[in-house]
C-alpha cells in the first residue's frame, strides 16, 4: 500500500515543495524564491541559511495547505540543483555562501585542467565535462584566492548536504550530488582519489557518500513540529534535479530521451551503465547505481526564438509569437537549405565554448522571414540532436524508445513537430510540470520499498500529449543535420577571433 | 582644337549613344534596348542584327536630337560588353546569335580546363579568369554540341566586330575585345597560340587585331546618310566597357580605383603593366598597351541591400530604403562584430563559385536590425575590398590614389561612407552616368591626336562629389576584414554540400 509523499526540489531560483497522492497527483505545493548574489564579476552565490529557511517554510506551507491529507504522508524525498559548494567550519557554520553552478570565477582553473593531459581521464572517471561550474575547480579557486577560508574549512559540502546536516546533524551526500562535485568515481561509487588530489582535499573534508535511496527513518521533534508532519515520516536523501527530472517525466527506460527547452535547454538519455563521449562533451550522472543519465545542457533554446521574434517584431504584441510559429510552419522542412547555428549566447554542450556565436548560413534570394524563423527552430533542435548523437548507443538508436518533452517550447506546435521529425521518434509531453519533485518522490517510493522497480513507478502516473514523426522528412533532416555538423565543426576555429573583436568594439 | 564626339556603348540590355561637346558634357543621347534570349537552360543570347539596328537607330536619333551641333562631330568611338561570340559564314552572315557573357552552357568545358594543369599558365598569358563567360570555352562547347555550325563558320567574332564589319566590310577587333575572348596574349598583343589550340581555331578564323586607338578615316556614303553625320567623321574601334568606364570616371592614373555597385558590382584598378593574381581570381584587360585595368566583377551589390530590405519590410513603401540606410547609420562601424558574406546569388570574384551562399556570422543577442542591415552593406564592400587586395600593388597601397564610385549605391550616404572607411581612401562620385560612352570618346580623342596623354583628357572633364574616410575606423575595419577573409576562406569548402541540398529540396 502506497503513501502520500512530499518532494522537495532545491532549485537555483527557488525551492519547490509538492505533496503528491499515492498515484502521483499533486495535492498541495508551495515555492519560495531567493536571490543570486554577485558581489564580484563572475560570482553567483546564494545564502545557505536563506535557502534553509525557504525549504522549511515551503514545507510547512505545503503541509498547511494540504490540511488533513498531511497525515497520509509517508516520506519526504529530495531533489537539488547540481554543483553547489559551501565551506563549513567544525561547528557546521558556513564560511562561504553557497557557490552555485552559475559562478564562473574558477574559469582559469577549469581551463588549465581541461588543457592538461589528465583531462580526458578525469572526465572518464567522473563523468563531468570540465567546466567552471564544477566544485573540483571551485576548490582550486578557493584555495588560491581565499587560502584562509580553505584552511579553516572543516568540510566542503553542497546545498542539500547543508540542509540535511541541519536536520540530522550528520554530513551526508548522495551519489548524484557527489558526482556533480566532479570528485566522484563512477566505477568505485566513492570519492576519486586523483580528483581529490587535484582539489587538494581529503575524503575526511567531504560528506559521507550514500546511495540515492538512503533514508532517515523519522524526523526530529523540532522538525516534526516546524513542518507539521508526523515524526514517523521518513526522509530520503534523493538525487540531483537532472536525473530526477528524467524519472519524473517517465524517461527512465533504457534509451528514453528527456528534452527540455525553456530559455536554455537540455537533453538527457537513460542507460543501465555509464555512457561517455570520447571527447568529454557530455555528462553522465547516476540516478541509482543501475540508472545513469547522460546528455548535456545547451544555452540556446527559447532565447533564440525570442531573439528572432524581437528581430522581426521589435516588441511583443498579442499573437506575435503565434504569427512567427505560423511562418515557421509555412516554410518547408529544411528551411530551403538555410542553416542556423544557435549559439547566440555562447554554448555549453556540445561545444563547451563560451565564445561561440550564432550564424545563418546558406542564404539565397529565396530565404525570407519564414525560412529564417524555421531555421532558428531547426537549429536549436539540431544542437540538441548533436548532443544526443554523442550519447546514443547503437542499441538505443534502433530501439522503440520515446522522447519526453517539457518546457515552454511545447506550446509551439511546429517546434514540437521539428523535434519529432529530426529525431524521427514519437514525442510525448507530460501534463504536469514539477518533474524533479515528482521524480524525487518516485525515487523515494523505490527507496523505502513501496515499489520494487523504478520504471513501473514512473509509468503509472502520467498522461501525455503525443506528436508523431513524419517519416517523409527523415531524409531531409538527416542530410541537413550532416551539413549542420560540418558547419558546426568548421566554425569552431573562428569564434575566438570574432569574440575578441566583439569585446573590443563593444566595450 | 577639340571636336564634338559620339560615344556608342553596346551593352547587354541596350545600346547607348551619347554626343559630347569638346569638354565632355553630354549634348544629346539615345538608347535602345533588346531582349536576352534563352531558348534552352543556360542560354543567354541576343540577335546580332537587332543590335545592329539598335546601334544605327540610336545613332540617328542622337544626331537628330542634337540638331545643328551634329555638324561639329569629329569622330565616333566604341565601347562594348565583353565576351560575346558570333559564328559567321564566308558572306558575313551570322550562323548563331550573339552568345553573351551571361550564357553558362560552356560550364563543363570551363571547369575541365580550370581543373587541368594548364589552367594557371593560360590565365597568366591571357589575364582572363577561367569561366564559362569566355569565348574560348564557348568555342569548345560549340564544336562539341553544334559541330556543323562550328565547321561551317568562316569566322568567330564579337558583337562590336560584327557591327563594324557591317559598316566597313572588314573583320577587325581591338586588343580589349580580343583579350575578352580568352584567346589573346598580353605579352605579344596577338592571338595566343596555345589558347587557339585549346579552342581548336586558327587565327585566320578570327578578326584581325588592332590597337584600341585604331580608326577608320571616314564613313561610307550609306552610313553617313543613315546616321545624318558628315562622311568625314572618323570611327575609332575603341575598347570594352570595363576599362573604358575606368577612363570615363577618371580612374586612369596608376593606382586609381573604380568601384561600381548597381544590382551587382565591380572593382577595377589601373596600372601601366599587367597585374595578375597568383590564383587567377582577377582579370587584367588592356585599355591601351600602356594602360591595364585589373579587378573583378562581383554578383552581390544592390541585390543584397534589396534582399535585406524585403526581409524586413516585405514590400517597398515610401522611404523604406532610406529608413534602412538610417538603421545602418545607427549601428557602429563593424556592426558589433557581425559579418555578412554577401554571396546570395553565388559569386564571381573573388570566389568564382556559383554555389557560394550568403551568411550572417557572429550573431549574439546584441544584434538587431540595425547591425544586420549595416553588416549587409559592409559585407558587399568587404567582398570588393577582397578583390582589390588581390590586385593592389604595394606601391598602390601607399600612394595618394583615389576611388571613383558609380552606380545606385552612391545614393546611400552610409554605403559610400563604408566604402571610404574600409578602403581608407577618398571616394569621388562623378556627376555623369554614361562613363563607358565618355571613356570611349576620351580614348577616341587620344586616338585621333586631339590629346597626347590619356590621363589629361580624363581629368579636365569631371565634377565630383567627395567622401572622406574616417581615420578612427581604420583599425576596426582592418581587424574585421581579417575576420571576414578568414570566414570567407573557411566557408569555401562548405558551399557545395549546401548548394546540392538546396537543389534537392527546392525542386
Amino acid at each position: 500500500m502506497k503513501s502520500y509523499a512530499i518532494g522537495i526540489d532545491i532549485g537555483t531560483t527557488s525551492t519547490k515543495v509538492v505533496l503528491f497522492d499515492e498515484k502521483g497527483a499533486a495535492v498541495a505545493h508551495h515555492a519560495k524564491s531567493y536571490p543570486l548574489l554577485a558581489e564580484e564579476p563572475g560570482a553567483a552565490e546564494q545564502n545557505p541559511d536563506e535557502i534553509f529557511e525557504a525549504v522549511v517554510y515551503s514545507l510547512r506551507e505545503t503541509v498547511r495547505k494540504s490540511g488533513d491529507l498531511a497525515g497520509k504522508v509517508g516520506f519526504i524525498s529530495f531533489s537539488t540543483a547540481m554543483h553547489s559548494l559551501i565551506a563549513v567550519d567544525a561547528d557546521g557554520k558556513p564560511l562561504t555562501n553557497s557557490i552555485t553552478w552559475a559562478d564562473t570565477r574558477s574559469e582559469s582553473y577549469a581551463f588549465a585542467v581541461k588543457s592538461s593531459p589528465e583531462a580526458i581521464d578525469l572526465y572518464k572517471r567522473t563523468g563531468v565535462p570540465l567546466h567552471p561550474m564544477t566544485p573540483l575547480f571551485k576548490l582550486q579557486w578557493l584555495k588560491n584566492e581565499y587560502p584562509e577560508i580553505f584552511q579553516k574549512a572543516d568540510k566542503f559540502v553542497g546545498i542539500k548536504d547543508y540542509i540535511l546536516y541541519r536536520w540530522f546533524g550528520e554530513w551526508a551526500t548522495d551519489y548524484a550530488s557527489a558526482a556533480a562535485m566532479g570528485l566522484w568515481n563512477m566505477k568505485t561509487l566513492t570519492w576519486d582519489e586523483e580528483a581529490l588530489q587535484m582539489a587538494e582535499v581529503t575524503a575526511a573534508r567531504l560528506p559521507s557518500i550514500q546511495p540515492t535511496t538512503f533514508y532517515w527513518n523519522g524526523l526530529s521533534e523540532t522538525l516534526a513540529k516546524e513542518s507539521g508532519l508526523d515524526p514517523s515520516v521518513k526522509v530520503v536523501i534523493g538525487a540531483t534535479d537532472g536525473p530526477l527530472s528524467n524519472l519524473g517525466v517517465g524517461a527512465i527506460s533504457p534509451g528514453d530521451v528527456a528534452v527540455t527547452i525553456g530559455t536554455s535547454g537540455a537533453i538527457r538519455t537513460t542507460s543501465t551503465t555509464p555512457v561517455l563521449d570520447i571527447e568529454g562533451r557530455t555528462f553522465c550522472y547516476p540516478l541509482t547505481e543501475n540508472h545513469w543519465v547522460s546528455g548535456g545542457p545547451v544555452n540556446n533554446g527559447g532565447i533564440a526564438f525570442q531573439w528572432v521574434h524581437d528581430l522581426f517584431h521589435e516588441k511583443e504584441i498579442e499573437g506575435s509569437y503565434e504569427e512567427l510559429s505560423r511562418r515557421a510552419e509555412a516554410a518547408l522542412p529544411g528551411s530551403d537549405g538555410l542553416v542556423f547555428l544557435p549559439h547566440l549566447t555562447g554554448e555549453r554542450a556540445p561545444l563547451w565554448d563560451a565564445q561561440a556565436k550564432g550564424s545563418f548560413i546558406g542564404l539565397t534570394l529565396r530565404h525570407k522571414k519564414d525560412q529564417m524563423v524555421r531555421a532558428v527552430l531547426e537549429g536549436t533542435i539540431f544542437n540538441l540532436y548533436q548532443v544526443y548523437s554523442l550519447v546514443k548507443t547503437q542499441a538505443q538508436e534502433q530501439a522503440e524508445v520515446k522522447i519526453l518533452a517539457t518546457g515552454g517550447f511545447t506550446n509551439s506546435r511546429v517546434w514540437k513537430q521539428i523535434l519529432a521529425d529530426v529525431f524521427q521518434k514519437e514525442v510525448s509531453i507530460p501534463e504536469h510540470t514539477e518533474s524533479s519533485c515528482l521524480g524525487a518522490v518516485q525515487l523515494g517510493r523505490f527507496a523505502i520499498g513501496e515499489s520494487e522497480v523504478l520504471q513501473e513507478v514512473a509509468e503509472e502516473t502520467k498522461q501525455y500529449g503525443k506528436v508523431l514523426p513524419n517519416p517523409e522528412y527523415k531524409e531531409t533532416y538527416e542530410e541537413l543535420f550532416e551539413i549542420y555538423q560540418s558547419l558546426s565543426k568548421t566554425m569552431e576555429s573562428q569564434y575566438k577571433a570574432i569574440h575578441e573583436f566583439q569585446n573590443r568594439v563593444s566595450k
Side-chain angles (χ1 to χ4, degrees), chain A residues 295-371:
Chain A
V298 303
N299 283 13
N300 300 284
I303 201 166
F305 192 33
Q306 192 186 335
W307 172 80
V308 78
H309 170 277
D310 294 351
L311 179 65
F312 289 133
H313 281 288
E314 302 196 274
K315 60 183 177 183
E316 189 174 350
I317 52 173
E318 201 185 313
S320 55
Y321 275 96
E322 290 71 16
E323 189 237 322
L324 279 201
S325 281
R326 280 196 303 278
R327 284 187 172 277
E329 264 174 323
L332 289 173
S335 302
D336 287 319
L338 176 62
V339 172
F340 181 69
L341 304 180
H343 320 301
L344 295 169
T345 62
E347 196 53 272
R348 286 180 288 167
L351 304 180
W352 297 100
D353 182 358
Q355 304 183 334
K357 305 295 168 202
S359 299
F360 281 108
I361 297 174
L363 290 163
T364 69
L365 298 181
R366 290 178 74 94
H367 295 112
K368 306 284 181 197
K369 276 184 194 171
D370 293 3
Q371 290 92 344

Side-chain angles (χ1 to χ4, degrees), chain A residues 235-249:
Chain A
V235 177
V236 181
I237 195 165
T240 54
D241 53 6
L244 284 173
S245 174
N246 262 51
L247 176 58
V249 299

Side-chain angles (χ1 to χ4, degrees), chain A residues 255-300:
Chain A
D256 282 352
V257 180
V259 170
T260 182
I261 304 179
T263 301
S264 57
I267 185 162
R268 295 180 301 266
T269 182
T270 309
S271 52
T272 53
T273 52
V275 175
L276 292 166
D277 169 54
I278 50 165
E279 293 182 32
R281 290 166 292 182
T282 54
F283 58 67
C284 181
Y285 297 125
L287 174 58
T288 77
E289 48 272 53
N290 299 314
H291 297 84
W292 298 80
V293 172
S294 45
V298 303
N299 283 13
N300 300 284

Side-chain angles (χ1 to χ4, degrees), chain A residues 328 331-333 335 370-378 414 418 477:
Chain A
L332 289 173
S335 302
D370 293 3
Q371 290 92 344
M372 286 178 85
V373 175
R374 188 178 185 102
V376 166
L377 303 186
E378 290 177 340
V414 62
I418 291 168
Y477 279 124

Side-chain angles (χ1 to χ4, degrees), chain A residues 249-251 255-261 267 381 384-385 388 400-407 409-431 463-470:
Chain A
V249 299
D256 282 352
V257 180
V259 170
T260 182
I261 304 179
I267 185 162
I381 300 297
L384 286 163
Y385 192 61
Y388 175 65
E400 281 293 321
V401 297
K402 59 187 179 306
I403 298 178
L404 285 298
T406 54
F409 91 111
T410 58
N411 295 321
S412 163
R413 187 174 58 184
V414 62
W415 210 347
K416 281 185 291 198
Q417 188 64 56
I418 291 168
L419 176 68
D421 290 347
V422 169
F423 281 72
Q424 285 291 309
K425 289 193 191 305
E426 182 180 298
V427 172
S428 303
I429 295 107
E431 287 196 341
Q463 299 290 326
Y464 299 112
K466 303 253 185 228
V467 183
L468 296 176
N470 288 311

